[in-house]
mmCIF file of all heavy atoms in Angstrom:
data_model
loop_
_atom_site.group_PDB
_atom_site.id
_atom_site.type_symbol
_atom_site.label_atom_id
_atom_site.label_comp_id
_atom_site.label_asym_id
_atom_site.label_seq_id
_atom_site.Cartn_x
_atom_site.Cartn_y
_atom_site.Cartn_z
ATOM 1 N N MET A 174 -95.829 49.797 119.146
ATOM 2 C CA MET A 174 -95.875 49.655 117.683
ATOM 3 C C MET A 174 -94.590 49.010 117.174
ATOM 4 O O MET A 174 -93.895 49.559 116.344
ATOM 5 C CB MET A 174 -96.058 51.032 117.037
ATOM 6 C CG MET A 174 -97.392 51.688 117.401
ATOM 7 S SD MET A 174 -98.829 50.730 116.949
ATOM 8 C CE MET A 174 -99.059 51.317 115.259
ATOM 9 N N PHE A 175 -94.228 47.889 117.738
ATOM 10 C CA PHE A 175 -93.011 47.221 117.291
ATOM 11 C C PHE A 175 -93.319 46.230 116.183
ATOM 12 O O PHE A 175 -94.241 45.436 116.293
ATOM 13 C CB PHE A 175 -92.357 46.480 118.451
ATOM 14 C CG PHE A 175 -91.172 45.643 118.037
ATOM 15 C CD1 PHE A 175 -89.966 46.245 117.709
ATOM 16 C CD2 PHE A 175 -91.283 44.258 117.938
ATOM 17 C CE1 PHE A 175 -88.880 45.476 117.323
ATOM 18 C CE2 PHE A 175 -90.204 43.487 117.547
ATOM 19 C CZ PHE A 175 -89.004 44.083 117.244
ATOM 20 N N LYS A 176 -92.543 46.343 115.134
ATOM 21 C CA LYS A 176 -92.678 45.359 114.057
ATOM 22 C C LYS A 176 -91.350 44.649 113.866
ATOM 23 O O LYS A 176 -90.333 45.307 113.676
ATOM 24 C CB LYS A 176 -93.054 46.046 112.730
ATOM 25 C CG LYS A 176 -94.520 46.372 112.611
ATOM 26 C CD LYS A 176 -94.840 46.840 111.213
ATOM 27 C CE LYS A 176 -96.316 47.234 111.096
ATOM 28 N NZ LYS A 176 -96.635 47.770 109.774
ATOM 29 N N PRO A 177 -91.354 43.337 113.941
ATOM 30 C CA PRO A 177 -90.107 42.613 113.693
ATOM 31 C C PRO A 177 -89.655 42.825 112.259
ATOM 32 O O PRO A 177 -90.473 42.928 111.350
ATOM 33 C CB PRO A 177 -90.479 41.149 113.947
ATOM 34 C CG PRO A 177 -91.947 41.082 113.804
ATOM 35 C CD PRO A 177 -92.480 42.438 114.195
ATOM 36 N N ARG A 178 -88.385 42.913 112.096
ATOM 37 C CA ARG A 178 -87.848 43.101 110.748
ATOM 38 C C ARG A 178 -87.896 41.805 109.969
ATOM 39 O O ARG A 178 -87.409 40.787 110.412
ATOM 40 C CB ARG A 178 -86.405 43.574 110.832
ATOM 41 C CG ARG A 178 -86.313 45.047 111.132
ATOM 42 C CD ARG A 178 -85.042 45.586 110.551
ATOM 43 N NE ARG A 178 -85.205 46.978 110.173
ATOM 44 C CZ ARG A 178 -84.259 47.653 109.507
ATOM 45 N NH1 ARG A 178 -83.142 47.058 109.161
ATOM 46 N NH2 ARG A 178 -84.442 48.906 109.176
ATOM 47 N N LEU A 179 -88.490 41.918 108.801
ATOM 48 C CA LEU A 179 -88.530 40.749 107.936
ATOM 49 C C LEU A 179 -87.349 40.762 106.986
ATOM 50 O O LEU A 179 -86.956 41.805 106.490
ATOM 51 C CB LEU A 179 -89.812 40.755 107.106
ATOM 52 C CG LEU A 179 -91.082 40.358 107.841
ATOM 53 C CD1 LEU A 179 -92.270 40.543 106.903
ATOM 54 C CD2 LEU A 179 -91.014 38.926 108.302
ATOM 55 N N LYS A 180 -86.825 39.595 106.785
ATOM 56 C CA LYS A 180 -85.788 39.477 105.766
ATOM 57 C C LYS A 180 -86.352 38.709 104.590
ATOM 58 O O LYS A 180 -87.121 37.767 104.772
ATOM 59 C CB LYS A 180 -84.600 38.684 106.317
ATOM 60 C CG LYS A 180 -83.658 39.496 107.170
ATOM 61 C CD LYS A 180 -82.440 38.649 107.485
ATOM 62 C CE LYS A 180 -81.660 39.221 108.657
ATOM 63 N NZ LYS A 180 -80.780 38.194 109.241
ATOM 64 N N MET A 181 -85.940 39.100 103.424
ATOM 65 C CA MET A 181 -86.297 38.328 102.242
ATOM 66 C C MET A 181 -85.316 37.173 102.108
ATOM 67 O O MET A 181 -84.113 37.372 102.036
ATOM 68 C CB MET A 181 -86.213 39.210 100.991
ATOM 69 C CG MET A 181 -87.476 40.028 100.792
ATOM 70 S SD MET A 181 -87.292 41.314 99.532
ATOM 71 C CE MET A 181 -86.696 40.357 98.166
ATOM 72 N N LEU A 182 -85.853 35.958 102.102
ATOM 73 C CA LEU A 182 -84.988 34.787 101.978
ATOM 74 C C LEU A 182 -84.742 34.441 100.521
ATOM 75 O O LEU A 182 -83.716 33.876 100.176
ATOM 76 C CB LEU A 182 -85.628 33.586 102.675
ATOM 77 C CG LEU A 182 -85.827 33.736 104.179
ATOM 78 C CD1 LEU A 182 -86.444 32.473 104.741
ATOM 79 C CD2 LEU A 182 -84.512 34.025 104.874
ATOM 80 N N GLY A 183 -85.709 34.745 99.693
ATOM 81 C CA GLY A 183 -85.529 34.408 98.290
ATOM 82 C C GLY A 183 -86.612 35.011 97.433
ATOM 83 O O GLY A 183 -87.693 35.331 97.914
ATOM 84 N N VAL A 184 -86.295 35.179 96.184
ATOM 85 C CA VAL A 184 -87.253 35.712 95.228
ATOM 86 C C VAL A 184 -87.226 34.830 93.995
ATOM 87 O O VAL A 184 -86.153 34.496 93.499
ATOM 88 C CB VAL A 184 -86.880 37.152 94.822
ATOM 89 C CG1 VAL A 184 -87.892 37.688 93.821
ATOM 90 C CG2 VAL A 184 -86.807 38.057 96.031
ATOM 91 N N GLU A 185 -88.396 34.411 93.556
ATOM 92 C CA GLU A 185 -88.438 33.635 92.326
ATOM 93 C C GLU A 185 -89.547 34.147 91.425
ATOM 94 O O GLU A 185 -90.577 34.598 91.902
ATOM 95 C CB GLU A 185 -88.632 32.144 92.620
ATOM 96 C CG GLU A 185 -89.841 31.863 93.478
ATOM 97 C CD GLU A 185 -90.008 30.372 93.765
ATOM 98 O OE1 GLU A 185 -89.759 29.580 92.855
ATOM 99 O OE2 GLU A 185 -90.389 30.018 94.881
ATOM 100 N N PRO A 186 -89.325 34.084 90.128
ATOM 101 C CA PRO A 186 -90.343 34.568 89.200
ATOM 102 C C PRO A 186 -91.535 33.631 89.150
ATOM 103 O O PRO A 186 -91.388 32.416 89.290
ATOM 104 C CB PRO A 186 -89.611 34.591 87.848
ATOM 105 C CG PRO A 186 -88.468 33.642 87.998
ATOM 106 C CD PRO A 186 -88.099 33.636 89.460
ATOM 107 N N VAL A 187 -92.708 34.205 88.974
ATOM 108 C CA VAL A 187 -93.937 33.436 88.782
ATOM 109 C C VAL A 187 -94.463 33.816 87.414
ATOM 110 O O VAL A 187 -94.953 34.919 87.222
ATOM 111 C CB VAL A 187 -94.992 33.768 89.851
ATOM 112 C CG1 VAL A 187 -96.271 32.968 89.617
ATOM 113 C CG2 VAL A 187 -94.451 33.494 91.249
ATOM 114 N N GLY A 188 -94.321 32.910 86.473
ATOM 115 C CA GLY A 188 -94.671 33.248 85.106
ATOM 116 C C GLY A 188 -93.865 34.464 84.678
ATOM 117 O O GLY A 188 -92.697 34.603 85.034
ATOM 118 N N ASN A 189 -94.488 35.363 83.950
ATOM 119 C CA ASN A 189 -93.769 36.581 83.593
ATOM 120 C C ASN A 189 -94.530 37.813 84.047
ATOM 121 O O ASN A 189 -94.375 38.888 83.512
ATOM 122 C CB ASN A 189 -93.482 36.632 82.087
ATOM 123 C CG ASN A 189 -94.759 36.538 81.273
ATOM 124 O OD1 ASN A 189 -95.858 36.611 81.835
ATOM 125 N ND2 ASN A 189 -94.633 36.374 79.980
ATOM 126 N N TYR A 190 -95.356 37.617 85.068
ATOM 127 C CA TYR A 190 -96.150 38.745 85.532
ATOM 128 C C TYR A 190 -95.937 39.032 87.003
ATOM 129 O O TYR A 190 -96.454 40.014 87.527
ATOM 130 C CB TYR A 190 -97.642 38.484 85.278
ATOM 131 C CG TYR A 190 -98.195 37.340 86.098
ATOM 132 C CD1 TYR A 190 -98.786 37.577 87.337
ATOM 133 C CD2 TYR A 190 -98.110 36.022 85.641
ATOM 134 C CE1 TYR A 190 -99.265 36.544 88.093
ATOM 135 C CE2 TYR A 190 -98.595 34.982 86.391
ATOM 136 C CZ TYR A 190 -99.176 35.242 87.623
ATOM 137 O OH TYR A 190 -99.642 34.207 88.385
ATOM 138 N N ALA A 191 -95.205 38.176 87.723
ATOM 139 C CA ALA A 191 -95.109 38.366 89.168
ATOM 140 C C ALA A 191 -93.855 37.709 89.722
ATOM 141 O O ALA A 191 -93.172 36.955 89.043
ATOM 142 C CB ALA A 191 -96.347 37.778 89.860
ATOM 143 N N ILE A 192 -93.575 38.001 90.988
ATOM 144 C CA ILE A 192 -92.510 37.308 91.702
ATOM 145 C C ILE A 192 -93.060 36.794 93.025
ATOM 146 O O ILE A 192 -94.006 37.350 93.580
ATOM 147 C CB ILE A 192 -91.297 38.235 91.976
ATOM 148 C CG1 ILE A 192 -91.734 39.497 92.726
ATOM 149 C CG2 ILE A 192 -90.570 38.590 90.686
ATOM 150 C CD1 ILE A 192 -90.569 40.365 93.164
ATOM 151 N N ARG A 193 -92.444 35.738 93.500
ATOM 152 C CA ARG A 193 -92.824 35.201 94.801
ATOM 153 C C ARG A 193 -91.680 35.497 95.762
ATOM 154 O O ARG A 193 -90.515 35.233 95.476
ATOM 155 C CB ARG A 193 -93.040 33.698 94.715
ATOM 156 C CG ARG A 193 -93.446 33.092 96.047
ATOM 157 C CD ARG A 193 -93.561 31.579 95.956
ATOM 158 N NE ARG A 193 -94.688 31.174 95.124
ATOM 159 C CZ ARG A 193 -94.577 30.416 94.033
ATOM 160 N NH1 ARG A 193 -93.413 29.987 93.633
ATOM 161 N NH2 ARG A 193 -95.642 30.110 93.335
ATOM 162 N N ILE A 194 -92.015 36.074 96.896
ATOM 163 C CA ILE A 194 -90.998 36.409 97.881
ATOM 164 C C ILE A 194 -91.170 35.544 99.122
ATOM 165 O O ILE A 194 -92.262 35.460 99.669
ATOM 166 C CB ILE A 194 -91.074 37.900 98.270
ATOM 167 C CG1 ILE A 194 -90.928 38.780 97.025
ATOM 168 C CG2 ILE A 194 -90.006 38.228 99.300
ATOM 169 C CD1 ILE A 194 -91.053 40.267 97.302
ATOM 170 N N SER A 195 -90.084 34.887 99.519
ATOM 171 C CA SER A 195 -90.099 34.111 100.759
ATOM 172 C C SER A 195 -89.516 34.959 101.871
ATOM 173 O O SER A 195 -88.417 35.494 101.748
ATOM 174 C CB SER A 195 -89.256 32.842 100.596
ATOM 175 O OG SER A 195 -89.689 32.099 99.492
ATOM 176 N N TRP A 196 -90.262 35.091 102.968
ATOM 177 C CA TRP A 196 -89.841 35.936 104.076
ATOM 178 C C TRP A 196 -89.317 35.102 105.229
ATOM 179 O O TRP A 196 -89.666 33.942 105.395
ATOM 180 C CB TRP A 196 -91.019 36.792 104.556
ATOM 181 C CG TRP A 196 -91.566 37.689 103.513
ATOM 182 C CD1 TRP A 196 -92.675 37.474 102.740
ATOM 183 C CD2 TRP A 196 -91.034 38.957 103.100
ATOM 184 N NE1 TRP A 196 -92.859 38.542 101.883
ATOM 185 C CE2 TRP A 196 -91.875 39.454 102.085
ATOM 186 C CE3 TRP A 196 -89.941 39.714 103.503
ATOM 187 C CZ2 TRP A 196 -91.641 40.678 101.470
ATOM 188 C CZ3 TRP A 196 -89.714 40.929 102.887
ATOM 189 C CH2 TRP A 196 -90.553 41.407 101.882
ATOM 190 N N SER A 197 -88.512 35.741 106.065
ATOM 191 C CA SER A 197 -87.830 35.035 107.138
ATOM 192 C C SER A 197 -88.776 34.548 108.237
ATOM 193 O O SER A 197 -88.417 33.702 109.033
ATOM 194 C CB SER A 197 -86.756 35.925 107.759
ATOM 195 O OG SER A 197 -87.327 37.127 108.226
ATOM 196 N N ASP A 198 -89.978 35.063 108.298
ATOM 197 C CA ASP A 198 -90.886 34.576 109.343
ATOM 198 C C ASP A 198 -91.570 33.272 108.950
ATOM 199 O O ASP A 198 -92.277 32.673 109.750
ATOM 200 C CB ASP A 198 -91.915 35.632 109.736
ATOM 201 C CG ASP A 198 -92.930 35.910 108.642
ATOM 202 O OD1 ASP A 198 -92.796 35.338 107.549
ATOM 203 O OD2 ASP A 198 -93.842 36.694 108.885
ATOM 204 N N GLY A 199 -91.335 32.848 107.726
ATOM 205 C CA GLY A 199 -91.768 31.518 107.327
ATOM 206 C C GLY A 199 -93.231 31.381 106.962
ATOM 207 O O GLY A 199 -93.591 30.492 106.223
ATOM 208 N N HIS A 200 -94.102 32.257 107.450
ATOM 209 C CA HIS A 200 -95.517 32.050 107.155
ATOM 210 C C HIS A 200 -96.069 33.019 106.119
ATOM 211 O O HIS A 200 -97.177 32.843 105.658
ATOM 212 C CB HIS A 200 -96.362 32.084 108.430
ATOM 213 C CG HIS A 200 -96.457 33.419 109.082
ATOM 214 N ND1 HIS A 200 -95.778 33.737 110.233
ATOM 215 C CD2 HIS A 200 -97.147 34.530 108.740
ATOM 216 C CE1 HIS A 200 -96.053 34.984 110.559
ATOM 217 N NE2 HIS A 200 -96.869 35.488 109.677
ATOM 218 N N SER A 201 -95.304 34.033 105.797
ATOM 219 C CA SER A 201 -95.840 34.948 104.812
ATOM 220 C C SER A 201 -95.071 34.881 103.499
ATOM 221 O O SER A 201 -94.094 35.585 103.307
ATOM 222 C CB SER A 201 -95.847 36.374 105.346
ATOM 223 O OG SER A 201 -94.541 36.751 105.722
ATOM 224 N N THR A 202 -95.491 33.982 102.675
ATOM 225 C CA THR A 202 -94.934 33.909 101.343
ATOM 226 C C THR A 202 -95.897 34.634 100.428
ATOM 227 O O THR A 202 -97.034 34.231 100.290
ATOM 228 C CB THR A 202 -94.760 32.449 100.887
ATOM 229 O OG1 THR A 202 -93.856 31.823 101.759
ATOM 230 C CG2 THR A 202 -94.216 32.392 99.479
ATOM 231 N N GLY A 203 -95.426 35.697 99.852
ATOM 232 C CA GLY A 203 -96.325 36.522 99.062
ATOM 233 C C GLY A 203 -96.005 36.462 97.592
ATOM 234 O O GLY A 203 -94.856 36.303 97.205
ATOM 235 N N ILE A 204 -97.041 36.577 96.801
ATOM 236 C CA ILE A 204 -96.848 36.730 95.357
ATOM 237 C C ILE A 204 -97.190 38.172 95.012
ATOM 238 O O ILE A 204 -98.254 38.669 95.375
ATOM 239 C CB ILE A 204 -97.734 35.755 94.563
ATOM 240 C CG1 ILE A 204 -97.252 34.334 94.810
ATOM 241 C CG2 ILE A 204 -97.712 36.088 93.076
ATOM 242 C CD1 ILE A 204 -98.055 33.280 94.085
ATOM 243 N N TYR A 205 -96.256 38.834 94.384
ATOM 244 C CA TYR A 205 -96.434 40.242 94.052
ATOM 245 C C TYR A 205 -96.329 40.419 92.549
ATOM 246 O O TYR A 205 -95.313 40.079 91.959
ATOM 247 C CB TYR A 205 -95.350 41.077 94.728
ATOM 248 C CG TYR A 205 -95.327 40.923 96.227
ATOM 249 C CD1 TYR A 205 -94.625 39.897 96.825
ATOM 250 C CD2 TYR A 205 -96.040 41.804 97.035
ATOM 251 C CE1 TYR A 205 -94.609 39.739 98.204
ATOM 252 C CE2 TYR A 205 -96.034 41.655 98.411
ATOM 253 C CZ TYR A 205 -95.322 40.628 98.989
ATOM 254 O OH TYR A 205 -95.313 40.471 100.350
ATOM 255 N N SER A 206 -97.366 40.937 91.957
ATOM 256 C CA SER A 206 -97.300 41.197 90.529
ATOM 257 C C SER A 206 -96.415 42.415 90.291
ATOM 258 O O SER A 206 -96.282 43.281 91.150
ATOM 259 C CB SER A 206 -98.700 41.441 89.955
ATOM 260 O OG SER A 206 -99.209 42.667 90.423
ATOM 261 N N TYR A 207 -95.812 42.455 89.130
ATOM 262 C CA TYR A 207 -94.977 43.613 88.797
ATOM 263 C C TYR A 207 -95.810 44.892 88.837
ATOM 264 O O TYR A 207 -95.339 45.947 89.228
ATOM 265 C CB TYR A 207 -94.354 43.434 87.413
ATOM 266 C CG TYR A 207 -93.353 42.301 87.372
ATOM 267 C CD1 TYR A 207 -93.441 41.300 86.413
ATOM 268 C CD2 TYR A 207 -92.317 42.256 88.296
ATOM 269 C CE1 TYR A 207 -92.520 40.260 86.374
ATOM 270 C CE2 TYR A 207 -91.396 41.223 88.271
ATOM 271 C CZ TYR A 207 -91.495 40.228 87.306
ATOM 272 O OH TYR A 207 -90.600 39.214 87.276
ATOM 273 N N ASP A 208 -97.047 44.738 88.443
ATOM 274 C CA ASP A 208 -97.955 45.870 88.474
ATOM 275 C C ASP A 208 -98.082 46.426 89.893
ATOM 276 O O ASP A 208 -98.000 47.627 90.130
ATOM 277 C CB ASP A 208 -99.321 45.410 87.955
ATOM 278 C CG ASP A 208 -100.202 46.578 87.599
ATOM 279 O OD1 ASP A 208 -99.707 47.477 86.886
ATOM 280 O OD2 ASP A 208 -101.361 46.600 88.027
ATOM 281 N N HIS A 209 -98.258 45.505 90.842
ATOM 282 C CA HIS A 209 -98.385 45.904 92.240
ATOM 283 C C HIS A 209 -97.082 46.530 92.741
ATOM 284 O O HIS A 209 -97.101 47.548 93.428
ATOM 285 C CB HIS A 209 -98.745 44.686 93.086
ATOM 286 C CG HIS A 209 -98.771 44.970 94.557
ATOM 287 N ND1 HIS A 209 -99.728 45.770 95.133
ATOM 288 C CD2 HIS A 209 -97.945 44.594 95.561
ATOM 289 C CE1 HIS A 209 -99.485 45.852 96.433
ATOM 290 N NE2 HIS A 209 -98.406 45.154 96.715
ATOM 291 N N LEU A 210 -95.954 45.915 92.385
ATOM 292 C CA LEU A 210 -94.676 46.438 92.841
ATOM 293 C C LEU A 210 -94.450 47.853 92.327
ATOM 294 O O LEU A 210 -93.942 48.719 93.032
ATOM 295 C CB LEU A 210 -93.546 45.517 92.379
ATOM 296 C CG LEU A 210 -93.550 44.149 93.069
ATOM 297 C CD1 LEU A 210 -92.521 43.241 92.417
ATOM 298 C CD2 LEU A 210 -93.263 44.288 94.548
ATOM 299 N N ARG A 211 -94.841 48.068 91.083
ATOM 300 C CA ARG A 211 -94.750 49.411 90.520
ATOM 301 C C ARG A 211 -95.549 50.398 91.348
ATOM 302 O O ARG A 211 -95.122 51.498 91.633
ATOM 303 C CB ARG A 211 -95.330 49.410 89.091
ATOM 304 C CG ARG A 211 -94.328 49.095 88.028
ATOM 305 C CD ARG A 211 -93.674 50.372 87.515
ATOM 306 N NE ARG A 211 -92.620 50.058 86.557
ATOM 307 C CZ ARG A 211 -91.797 50.963 86.040
ATOM 308 N NH1 ARG A 211 -91.912 52.221 86.365
ATOM 309 N NH2 ARG A 211 -90.870 50.622 85.215
ATOM 310 N N ARG A 212 -96.739 49.956 91.738
ATOM 311 C CA ARG A 212 -97.644 50.857 92.440
ATOM 312 C C ARG A 212 -97.110 51.229 93.822
ATOM 313 O O ARG A 212 -97.343 52.326 94.301
ATOM 314 C CB ARG A 212 -99.035 50.208 92.562
ATOM 315 C CG ARG A 212 -100.124 51.066 91.963
ATOM 316 C CD ARG A 212 -101.458 50.356 91.977
ATOM 317 N NE ARG A 212 -101.633 49.492 90.828
ATOM 318 C CZ ARG A 212 -102.147 48.262 90.873
ATOM 319 N NH1 ARG A 212 -102.530 47.749 92.018
ATOM 320 N NH2 ARG A 212 -102.278 47.564 89.790
ATOM 321 N N ILE A 213 -96.446 50.290 94.480
ATOM 322 C CA ILE A 213 -95.972 50.583 95.839
ATOM 323 C C ILE A 213 -94.547 51.101 95.858
ATOM 324 O O ILE A 213 -94.043 51.505 96.887
ATOM 325 C CB ILE A 213 -96.083 49.342 96.754
ATOM 326 C CG1 ILE A 213 -95.169 48.224 96.257
ATOM 327 C CG2 ILE A 213 -97.526 48.862 96.859
ATOM 328 C CD1 ILE A 213 -95.131 47.034 97.206
ATOM 329 N N CYS A 214 -93.869 51.097 94.703
ATOM 330 C CA CYS A 214 -92.492 51.563 94.664
ATOM 331 C C CYS A 214 -92.457 53.088 94.713
ATOM 332 O O CYS A 214 -93.146 53.756 93.955
ATOM 333 C CB CYS A 214 -91.818 51.072 93.391
ATOM 334 S SG CYS A 214 -90.099 51.601 93.291
ATOM 335 N N PRO A 215 -91.692 53.647 95.655
ATOM 336 C CA PRO A 215 -91.665 55.097 95.832
ATOM 337 C C PRO A 215 -90.663 55.822 94.936
ATOM 338 O O PRO A 215 -90.528 57.041 95.041
ATOM 339 C CB PRO A 215 -91.268 55.254 97.304
ATOM 340 C CG PRO A 215 -90.401 54.069 97.561
ATOM 341 C CD PRO A 215 -90.904 52.955 96.680
ATOM 342 N N CYS A 216 -89.945 55.127 94.074
ATOM 343 C CA CYS A 216 -88.903 55.812 93.313
ATOM 344 C C CYS A 216 -89.503 56.717 92.239
ATOM 345 O O CYS A 216 -90.650 56.567 91.832
ATOM 346 C CB CYS A 216 -87.913 54.814 92.710
ATOM 347 S SG CYS A 216 -88.432 54.073 91.169
ATOM 348 N N GLU A 217 -88.723 57.666 91.804
ATOM 349 C CA GLU A 217 -89.168 58.668 90.835
ATOM 350 C C GLU A 217 -89.792 58.036 89.595
ATOM 351 O O GLU A 217 -90.868 58.415 89.154
ATOM 352 C CB GLU A 217 -87.965 59.509 90.394
ATOM 353 C CG GLU A 217 -87.438 60.413 91.477
ATOM 354 C CD GLU A 217 -88.339 61.622 91.670
ATOM 355 O OE1 GLU A 217 -88.799 62.176 90.667
ATOM 356 O OE2 GLU A 217 -88.577 61.994 92.834
ATOM 357 N N GLU A 218 -89.095 57.039 89.064
ATOM 358 C CA GLU A 218 -89.528 56.439 87.807
ATOM 359 C C GLU A 218 -90.926 55.829 87.927
ATOM 360 O O GLU A 218 -91.794 56.035 87.092
ATOM 361 C CB GLU A 218 -88.522 55.364 87.401
ATOM 362 C CG GLU A 218 -88.755 54.835 86.003
ATOM 363 C CD GLU A 218 -87.890 53.611 85.735
ATOM 364 O OE1 GLU A 218 -86.847 53.475 86.408
ATOM 365 O OE2 GLU A 218 -88.264 52.803 84.892
ATOM 366 N N CYS A 219 -91.144 55.098 89.026
ATOM 367 C CA CYS A 219 -92.419 54.409 89.189
ATOM 368 C C CYS A 219 -93.538 55.388 89.514
ATOM 369 O O CYS A 219 -94.662 55.232 89.070
ATOM 370 C CB CYS A 219 -92.308 53.349 90.272
ATOM 371 S SG CYS A 219 -91.189 52.029 89.790
ATOM 372 N N ARG A 220 -93.201 56.408 90.295
ATOM 373 C CA ARG A 220 -94.228 57.410 90.593
ATOM 374 C C ARG A 220 -94.679 58.101 89.325
ATOM 375 O O ARG A 220 -95.864 58.353 89.121
ATOM 376 C CB ARG A 220 -93.700 58.421 91.614
ATOM 377 C CG ARG A 220 -93.955 57.918 93.036
ATOM 378 C CD ARG A 220 -93.114 58.596 94.066
ATOM 379 N NE ARG A 220 -93.164 60.062 94.000
ATOM 380 C CZ ARG A 220 -92.429 60.851 94.755
ATOM 381 N NH1 ARG A 220 -91.578 60.333 95.623
ATOM 382 N NH2 ARG A 220 -92.513 62.135 94.656
ATOM 383 N N ALA A 221 -93.742 58.401 88.465
ATOM 384 C CA ALA A 221 -94.092 59.028 87.187
ATOM 385 C C ALA A 221 -94.966 58.096 86.370
ATOM 386 O O ALA A 221 -95.977 58.504 85.792
ATOM 387 C CB ALA A 221 -92.832 59.387 86.428
ATOM 388 N N ALA A 222 -94.595 56.823 86.332
ATOM 389 C CA ALA A 222 -95.350 55.849 85.568
ATOM 390 C C ALA A 222 -96.760 55.712 86.140
ATOM 391 O O ALA A 222 -97.737 55.610 85.400
ATOM 392 C CB ALA A 222 -94.644 54.500 85.577
ATOM 393 N N ASN A 223 -96.876 55.715 87.452
ATOM 394 C CA ASN A 223 -98.186 55.599 88.094
ATOM 395 C C ASN A 223 -99.082 56.784 87.758
ATOM 396 O O ASN A 223 -100.258 56.633 87.459
ATOM 397 C CB ASN A 223 -98.026 55.519 89.619
ATOM 398 C CG ASN A 223 -97.458 54.180 90.046
ATOM 399 O OD1 ASN A 223 -97.495 53.218 89.289
ATOM 400 N ND2 ASN A 223 -96.915 54.130 91.236
ATOM 401 N N GLU A 224 -98.507 57.959 87.799
ATOM 402 C CA GLU A 224 -99.311 59.141 87.515
ATOM 403 C C GLU A 224 -99.795 59.147 86.075
ATOM 404 O O GLU A 224 -100.921 59.492 85.798
ATOM 405 C CB GLU A 224 -98.499 60.408 87.811
ATOM 406 C CG GLU A 224 -98.499 60.691 89.305
ATOM 407 C CD GLU A 224 -97.422 61.697 89.695
ATOM 408 O OE1 GLU A 224 -96.995 62.461 88.818
ATOM 409 O OE2 GLU A 224 -97.014 61.690 90.869
ATOM 410 N N GLU A 225 -98.953 58.698 85.181
ATOM 411 C CA GLU A 225 -99.370 58.582 83.786
ATOM 412 C C GLU A 225 -100.532 57.618 83.654
ATOM 413 O O GLU A 225 -101.493 57.865 82.969
ATOM 414 C CB GLU A 225 -98.214 58.065 82.922
ATOM 415 C CG GLU A 225 -97.321 59.175 82.415
ATOM 416 C CD GLU A 225 -96.135 58.587 81.672
ATOM 417 O OE1 GLU A 225 -96.258 57.498 81.093
ATOM 418 O OE2 GLU A 225 -95.061 59.223 81.683
ATOM 419 N N GLY A 226 -100.420 56.479 84.354
ATOM 420 C CA GLY A 226 -101.444 55.438 84.259
ATOM 421 C C GLY A 226 -102.787 55.874 84.795
ATOM 422 O O GLY A 226 -103.822 55.373 84.371
ATOM 423 N N GLN A 227 -102.789 56.820 85.727
ATOM 424 C CA GLN A 227 -104.037 57.226 86.353
ATOM 425 C C GLN A 227 -104.758 58.320 85.583
ATOM 426 O O GLN A 227 -105.907 58.602 85.844
ATOM 427 C CB GLN A 227 -103.758 57.713 87.780
ATOM 428 C CG GLN A 227 -103.517 56.547 88.745
ATOM 429 C CD GLN A 227 -102.879 57.004 90.040
ATOM 430 O OE1 GLN A 227 -102.792 58.188 90.304
ATOM 431 N NE2 GLN A 227 -102.414 56.063 90.843
ATOM 432 N N GLU A 228 -104.061 58.908 84.640
ATOM 433 C CA GLU A 228 -104.715 59.996 83.927
ATOM 434 C C GLU A 228 -105.390 59.534 82.638
ATOM 435 O O GLU A 228 -105.224 58.444 82.194
ATOM 436 C CB GLU A 228 -103.698 61.076 83.611
ATOM 437 C CG GLU A 228 -103.414 61.901 84.870
ATOM 438 C CD GLU A 228 -102.237 62.843 84.688
ATOM 439 O OE1 GLU A 228 -101.719 62.924 83.562
ATOM 440 O OE2 GLU A 228 -101.816 63.465 85.672
HETATM 441 ZN ZN1 ZN B 200 -89.363 52.004 91.177
#
């Protein structure tokens, strides 16, 4: 179960709803909406916000 460590090479905004992240492996350039980032962020603030949104 080895996973190579990815490095973020750069982050740029996409409109005002998302960011594009360039990864060091070169083939996975992802666009992540702020909404999605909130959902996957484990910090207290985002978890609280997520729970509010689901109720
Ligand atoms: Zn957070």
